[in-house]
Amino acid sequence: MSTGTPRRFHIAVASGKGGTGKTTVAIGMARTIGETQLLDADAEEPNIHLFFPVQWDKETPVQRLIPEVNFDRCTYCGRCASTCQFNALVVFGQKLLFFEELCHGCGACSLVCPEKAVTEKPRRIGVIRGPVQWGRTLLWEARLEVGEASGTQLIREMKHIIRQDLPAVIDAAPGASCPVMEAIKGSDYCLLVTEPTPFGLSDLQIAVEAVRELGVPLGVVINRSTGEDHLIDEFCAQAQLPILARIPFNRAAAEAYSRGQHPVDAVPGFAEIFAGLWRALQAQLEVQLQKEGFRA
Amino acid sequence: MRDIAITATAPALDAEVDARFGRASYFILISAENPADWEAAANPALSAGGGAGVAAGQFLASKGVKALLTGNVGPNAFSVLQAAGIAVFPVNGQTVREAYQNYLKNSLSRTAQPTKAADHLH
Amino acid sequence: MKPFRELVVISGKGGTGKTTLTASFSYLVGRSVQCDADVDAPDLWILLQPKIEAEGSFSGGKVARISPEKCIGCGLCYQHCRYEAIGPANSTTRMAGLTSDFSYYWVADRQLEGHRQPQEGRFLSNTNPETNPKTPLPPEILPTLQEPASSQEQAGQASLPPDQGRIFRIDPNSCEGCGVCQIVCPVAAVQLEERYSGQWFSGETAYGPMVYARLAPGQENSGKLVTLVRQKAQILARNHQIPLIIIDGPPGTGCPVISALTGVDLALVVTEPTLSGKHDLERVAALAEHLRVPLAIVVNKYDLNPEITSELESWAAAHSYPVLGRIPFSPAVTQSLLAKDIAVRQENPASSAIREIWSRVRGTLHLGEGGK
């Protein structure tokens, strides 16, 4: 990497919808940057592992707290139930019911219980697997426990647990939901991957709006470019967004992907495209660095 | 005593029975003894982000309802209804009035388990 | 019996041609109710071009707000928040002004709380039983809060009154609206407000009435919004006496998909012959099974990898899921899309496959003849 680019930086790779080639770009970036970390932040459907035949030998369980009721002390006053914003507790008559899968683990019930009948106990929300070495890349994956509603907290925890002395490429889930926002939040740059179609444009517009709200600088990567990208070009010009790379439409790339191979390894020319993307990205990072000073 | 609750798509006896429980538009609360004794209550759980079935169940429990006539009830809501001693009678494609009359004629059968899987967790 | 049938088109992941297929069905039926339940990325309107006749906003859940004039900076809300949504209100960097100072803040916090990594795993913020009930805010944090190193050099920062570092603020992107901050605030400086979470639209297309919705960025309630658009579609079907609702479902297997699947008459899964496509298909099938929804499969771009296509098909056969057809890879489909046209209106191998699939779907749903 060039001397001006800070050693520790986070690049989020996102897209307004799935199937745009986001994961392809994230893996390609990680390969090209060199010594880096690659985070699969799609906790509901982690799938980067499909491209890497690795053994996950390290994993860290992540826990949150859920209430536990001491029925000897409970007077069924109903304070906990009326406080719970998620309807996870119900009290009527001499009955109290708790619905674990509705609980967000905020702790409000134990705070308000006048009898101190509600305490808390840990519940596993998922695991963070990794790091595992693949080439020069350290892989991490967040995997949500089945039945857990949202991966947001798990993603947040994954960003805390990774090596803080290495750069990271974060492959967010598709869309603009909470876990996606969490994956992008605090990153130094966000790459939005899109296709040069009307659908791609519509989804890109939504994603741009979302990322701008987070205050993360962003640029666009056009995947499956046919050379006629005017839809995206016009939007980006108007929205003052840099287009950092155009990955050409290539049937061989699609076929390689379907075999679980990355186009960078399988298709001639792709390594150069990603090298170009990395150079453009470094230039962008340096602009940001000058603009606001770097937060190490 | 308005001891029967019927989910409804509109606040009227001729409205269709709402197939959803937690996200039903209205509850018609009606007396088993006197068909003229009824009221329509907007479902307070409709605005809940999650756990609508649970909240709706708690609402009916607070109203002292004994029987619920509706389309589908998920497992969370069902446990609330069960704990509150509210019997659940699934109905399909009837108006509120028809469902009420069928209930009085004993031609509805009570279900001992949820009629569908949880809607969603969040 | 409800007076209409509901067909939902879904896929384990996005970009598999779900919307293209949905719009083609709408065209082939002639008249049906269109319902775009992919509220994270609604695209069906681009092809069907409804004339919007009604729209409305939609709120879901709560979000907390701290009144800066009331906040005394005691930090109790910060200590109790488990979503890392509360931080100092002195930041001026970046847009919402929160991100960069937040990350700084949390790094500092973590250095102090080395004990937060017990043997058996990690606890989320402020949830370690060892520090629960919560310890007081370490006094040494407060001074550092006032001087975030990153923004210190910035022009204008120096003129901030020193007390500003003691005022706390909520990042709405992280707030889950649990209300704990409101409970612990000693001066009632916190309000819980309704959270704007999206917009719905309805209008007439050339192929019947349509309803769709768009979730606001970062909003989580798409299950509720999906329920809302489906409900509106059902009302349209009743009012216009249309016997079929075609739903463009959301991708994935999360909460919005569950809402889109519940109670439909047929779920058609569009899958591609890729390793991840197969993986996603299995997950979506398990979900449909769980919800007791009949499932059928279509393989799109099957010729990209004939081997995986046959694997998908034998997997489907082994689980008794009907495969209603294979669609060949066709650049003409992309060309139609670029022209905002419906793929099946052109004559090509892909569109004949789609026509065939539609006739099988119609059979599966026991719909009469009709349409094109």
Side-chain angles (χ1 to χ4, degrees), chain A:
Chain A
M1 64 184 67
S2 86
T3 46
T5 305
R7 184 159 167 73
R8 177 189 169 273
F9 55 88
H10 288 182
I11 307 295
V13 185
S15 68
K17 66 162 183 171
T20 58
K22 178 177 55 57
T23 299
T24 309
V25 170
I27 297 174
M29 277 312 297
R31 292 272 175 103
T32 310
I33 292 173
E35 197 181 12
T36 186
Q37 304 177 91
L38 178 58
L39 278 59
D40 191 344
D42 188 353
E44 279 173 45
E45 313 253 339
N47 68 3
I48 281 190
H49 67 94
L50 295 172
F51 292 89
F52 301 94
V54 292
Q55 288 294 320
W56 297 99
D57 44 9
K58 269 178 247 156
E59 63 173 42
T60 312
V62 176
Q63 299 163 93
R64 62 183 175 94
L65 295 179
I66 59 167
E68 188 168 42
V69 181
N70 177 350
F71 287 98
D72 295 336
R73 304 186 79 147
C74 180
T75 61
Y76 304 97
C77 70
R79 281 282 294 281
C80 54
S82 61
T83 303
C84 180
Q85 294 291 331
F86 311 109
N87 295 313
L89 284 155
V90 175
V91 177
F92 47 82
Q94 294 288 298
K95 294 212 168 76
L96 180 150
L97 301 180
F98 170 59
F99 298 96
E100 202 165 291
E101 67 270 36
L102 295 173
C103 173
H104 287 220
C106 68
C109 47
S110 67
L111 277 173
V112 299
C113 178
E115 311 298 331
K116 306 228 178 316
V118 185
T119 54
E120 294 185 284
K121 62 177 180 189
R123 169 187 156 102
R124 193 170 149 136
I125 59 168
V127 292
I128 294 159
R129 305 206 292 182
V132 54
Q133 186 100 25
W134 180 258
R136 296 172 70 197
T137 310
L138 279 185
L139 299 173
W140 300 84
E141 172 189 281
R143 187 170 279 264
L144 200 63
E145 203 89 332
V146 175
E148 279 288 328
S150 167
T152 308
Q153 289 174 290
L154 197 60
I155 304 296
R156 186 180 296 142
E157 216 52 30
M158 175 160 71
K159 286 162 71 175
H160 291 323
I161 204 176
I162 58 167
R163 288 266 299 269
Q164 302 297 329
D165 57 342
L166 284 177
V169 176
I170 304 166
D171 185 19
S177 65
C178 264
V180 177
M181 296 294 102
E182 189 59 42
I184 300 171
K185 197 169 147 180
S187 292
D188 300 282
Y189 204 82
C190 177
L191 291 176
L192 286 176
V193 185
T194 186
E195 290 180 326
T197 64
F199 290 177
L201 174 63
S202 161
D203 300 335
L204 177 65
Q205 287 167 329
I206 294 174
V208 167
E209 193 187 318
V211 177
R212 287 210 159 139
E213 197 162 312
L214 295 175
V216 173
L218 76 166
V220 171
V221 175
I222 302 180
N223 192 22
R224 302 196 191 106
S225 164
T226 55
E228 292 172 34
D229 307 333
H230 59 271
L231 273 177
I232 307 291
D233 290 344
E234 283 157 23
F235 168 70
C236 288
Q238 189 202 345
Q240 298 187 308
L241 287 172
I243 296 174
L244 302 190
R246 295 169 203 267
I247 302 174
F249 177 78
N250 184 320
R251 185 170 166 142
E255 286 176 357
Y257 183 86
S258 82
R259 292 190 301 267
Q261 263 183 316
H262 194 274
V264 164
D265 304 316
V267 183
F270 269 67
E272 288 70 31
I273 293 166
F274 277 93
L277 169 57
W278 174 221
R279 279 193 301 275
L281 184 57
Q282 277 173 300
Q284 290 289 322
L285 285 173
E286 277 157 33
V287 168
Q288 293 305 322
L289 184 65
Q290 282 163 7
K291 223 187 248 176
E292 60 182 86
F294 197 77
R295 37 195 189 93

Side-chain angles (χ1 to χ4, degrees), chain A residues 44-45 61 63 65 85 104-105 120 156-157 160 176 178 185 196 198 203 209 213-215 258 292 295, chain C residues 41 43 82-84 94-95 99 122 124 127 171 174 176-177 214 218 220 253 280 283 305 308 337-338:
Chain A
E44 279 173 45
E45 313 253 339
Q63 299 163 93
L65 295 179
Q85 294 291 331
H104 287 220
E120 294 185 284
R156 186 180 296 142
E157 216 52 30
H160 291 323
C178 264
K185 197 169 147 180
D203 300 335
E209 193 187 318
E213 197 162 312
L214 295 175
S258 82
E292 60 182 86
R295 37 195 189 93
Chain C
D43 286 338
R82 292 181 176 174
Y83 309 105
E84 302 184 15
R94 299 212 168 153
M95 176 249 111
T99 24
R122 288 172 70 91
L124 299 169
T127 67
D171 176 1
S174 293
E176 301 206 6
R214 194 188 134 170
E220 201 58 49
T253 54
D280 294 340
R283 290 185 63 138
N305 193 324
I308 299 185
L337 183 54
L338 282 172

